[in-house]
Amino acid sequence: MKEYKTAKGWAIFIYIAAPIMIGFLFMPILLLLIPSWRTNETADFFWFAVPISLILIAYMIAGIADTIVSKVTLTEQSIEYKNILFSRSIQLNEIKGFRIDDKYLCIEPKTSGVKRIKISKYFGNLEDLIDFLDSKYHDLDELEAEERYQKIMENNSFGFSTSERQSQFQTARRSAKILNWVAGIIAAWTFFYPHPYLLAIIAAILCPIAAIVLLRLFNGLIHLEEKKNSPHPSVFLAFFIPSMALFLRAMLDLNVYNFEKLWWLLPLMVLPLTAVVLLGSREFDWRKGQSILMALVVLGITSAYGFGAILCTNCALDQSNAAEFHAQILGKDRSTGKTTTYHLSLEPLDFDYPLDEAQVDKVTYQRVAISDTVRVLFFEGRWGIPWLEVRP
């Protein structure tokens, strides 16, 4: 018989961290019980903080208890799993196989009425148990992936012979991999250093289109969604990452002061593009909720893509004559986070658009000071979406 418990490192961490957290969470309760300790706490604070503290304290205590109690026992007849809530057991001759993901080892039974055992990877010496299972049972993920691969090899729509289907499959994998890598590089270029600007924007616009072309070109062998245990190569990254880069560039770079025309153009681009992706791919089964969820994801991505593509090209391709105004800087502001943006507060302009703040690049932000006068240039936009630019 062998026993597996929470790894020593994690157990020590829980035994130290949980009591510290309990002490911290006990403070609102102490403030409620000892009025002399209070400062400016209101009744609303206690109505909110005390129940939350009690819930979290109970959770911490349960975590400590679970660390003490939880164990996996391997005997000659069965595998047993016990925690503070329940215990489960599967006879060795009733085990169908196992699955491993990033967080859990799952042992699946042959009988549908028997519940599977799900073991956290925070258990110590779990490799020994995995080696035991691997020596006697199938890795169900590998088995499922192999079955799906064999279905591809038997599908005549991917070739008339097995060798032809294998060749087509390898070509599809190679093409998807190359496109994903190229799209990742272009997305990084577009987001981090878009110079020359127009070329970076055009490259980012072409990547999702190339992904759609591959979906159609390989007749269902390449999928958009990357599913677990699916041998089908995926171009999701090539579709998603450049779209997000375009969206972020539009949000970070451009001062659009009238979006009315955009809201007319966006559906004209997004809806046909979404339809081409969803209806042109064989991977979606509309009887399943997962496909409907993926359709919503695709709609969100194409919306971001359309938003970025329309606005970026509207400004980058604009050749209209600018209407120039001058404004005094009333204030400066820098917003930091995953990205840093720079803003200038400006005096009101004698213009139809009530401008009081504009986003600028880092160079302009550093060159100007409060009370300086800057040039504000208003452009018509290549697609009729008016925008402005602030220059020293």
Side-chain angles (χ1 to χ4, degrees):
M1 183 179 74
K2 290 185 178 181
E3 284 191 353
Y4 305 89
K5 295 181 69 67
T6 303
K8 288 183 179 180
W10 279 108
I12 292 171
F13 173 77
I14 291 170
Y15 293 149
I16 294 174
I20 293 173
M21 289 298 298
I22 289 172
F24 175 76
L25 292 167
F26 219 84
M27 288 303 297
I29 301 171
L30 291 176
L31 290 175
L32 179 64
L33 298 176
I34 307 175
S36 61
W37 287 15
R38 301 177 194 172
T39 54
N40 298 318
E41 290 78 14
T42 63
D44 290 338
F45 167 78
F46 291 109
W47 278 109
F48 172 78
V50 171
I52 296 296
S53 295
L54 290 172
I55 292 171
L56 293 177
I57 288 171
Y59 182 78
M60 294 294 169
I61 294 172
I64 295 173
D66 192 61
T67 303
I68 297 170
V69 172
S70 292
K71 65 179 180 179
V72 177
T73 305
L74 173 62
T75 69
E76 294 182 357
Q77 292 81 31
S78 66
I79 294 178
E80 301 173 2
Y81 174 68
K82 180 181 180 182
N83 63 22
I84 61 170
L85 297 177
F86 58 82
S87 60
R88 289 176 184 171
S89 175
I90 301 178
Q91 297 297 311
L92 296 184
N93 59 3
E94 285 295 319
I95 294 177
K96 178 182 179 181
F98 64 96
R99 301 179 188 272
I100 303 174
D101 59 26
D102 294 338
K103 296 180 180 179
Y104 295 100
L105 164 66
C106 297
I107 302 172
E108 305 280 354
K110 295 177 181 177
T111 307
S112 59
V114 179
K115 292 185 177 180
R116 67 177 180 172
I117 292 177
K118 192 174 182 180
I119 305 167
S120 170
K121 283 194 172 180
Y122 294 128
F123 275 67
N125 299 320
L126 204 59
E127 295 81 6
D128 293 341
L129 180 58
I130 293 173
D131 290 340
F132 169 80
L133 293 170
D134 193 43
S135 66
K136 293 182 176 295
Y137 308 101
H138 292 294
D139 183 328
L140 297 179
D141 288 330
E142 292 181 357
L143 191 63
E144 187 175 325
E146 179 61 26
E147 289 175 352
R148 292 181 177 181
Y149 174 75
Q150 291 304 322
K151 287 184 178 179
I152 292 175
M153 293 299 104
E154 296 168 2
N155 192 333
N156 292 330
S157 63
F158 301 138
F160 295 106
S161 65
T162 301
S163 60
E164 187 177 344
R165 289 189 285 269
Q166 288 175 339
S167 176
Q168 185 78 341
F169 179 75
Q170 292 301 325
T171 302
R173 287 186 62 181
R174 186 165 53 251
S175 301
K177 184 176 182 179
I178 291 172
L179 181 59
N180 285 329
W181 271 101
V182 170
I185 293 170
I186 289 174
W189 170 32
T190 304
F191 181 71
F192 293 107
Y193 192 75
H195 300 285
Y197 191 84
L198 181 58
L199 186 60
I201 295 300
I202 292 175
I205 290 172
L206 292 176
C207 283
I209 295 175
I212 296 171
V213 170
L214 277 189
L215 290 175
R216 297 288 296 169
L217 187 63
F218 283 90
N219 198 28
L221 189 53
I222 293 178
H223 282 187
L224 179 64
E225 184 180 6
E226 188 171 357
K227 295 181 180 179
K228 184 179 179 181
N229 303 332
S230 174
H232 290 274
S234 167
V235 289
F236 181 79
L237 291 179
F239 186 69
F240 173 72
I241 301 179
S243 299
M244 293 301 104
L246 285 170
F247 176 78
L248 290 172
R249 277 272 65 96
M251 295 294 292
L252 295 172
D253 296 345
L254 309 177
N255 288 301
V256 176
Y257 63 88
N258 189 333
F259 287 91
E260 183 177 351
K261 187 69 174 292
L262 173 67
W263 305 136
W264 284 97
L265 292 175
L266 195 59
L268 297 178
M269 182 178 186
V270 169
L271 295 180
L273 187 62
T274 304
V276 169
V277 174
L278 298 179
L279 301 179
S281 177
R282 297 182 177 182
E283 64 186 283
F284 299 104
D285 184 353
W286 301 113
R287 296 168 296 180
K288 297 181 179 180
Q290 187 176 4
S291 291
I292 296 175
L293 178 61
M294 186 60 188
L296 295 176
V297 171
V298 170
L299 180 60
I301 295 172
T302 54
S303 297
Y305 171 80
F307 182 91
I310 292 172
L311 288 186
C312 287
T313 55
N314 175 75
C315 300
L317 298 176
D318 189 6
Q319 296 180 350
S320 63
N321 295 320
E324 183 172 334
F325 294 81
H326 293 82
Q328 188 178 34
I329 299 174
L330 303 179
K332 298 173 65 178
D333 178 60
R334 183 178 66 176
S335 300
T336 58
K338 291 185 178 180
T339 59
T340 302
T341 57
Y342 304 89
H343 302 267
L344 300 178
S345 297
L346 304 175
E347 67 177 345
L349 296 175
D350 184 17
F351 190 72
D352 295 338
Y353 176 69
L355 177 69
D356 57 359
E357 184 179 88
Q359 185 170 298
V360 296
D361 57 40
K362 182 178 179 180
V363 174
T364 302
Y365 183 85
Q366 292 175 337
R367 286 182 59 183
V368 298
I370 295 176
S371 299
D372 285 355
T373 299
V374 291
R375 300 161 60 208
V376 183
L377 306 177
F378 289 86
F379 298 88
E380 296 178 2
R382 182 65 180 84
W383 315 125
I385 303 170
W387 62 288
L388 64 90
E389 189 176 73
V390 176
R391 298 177 185 175

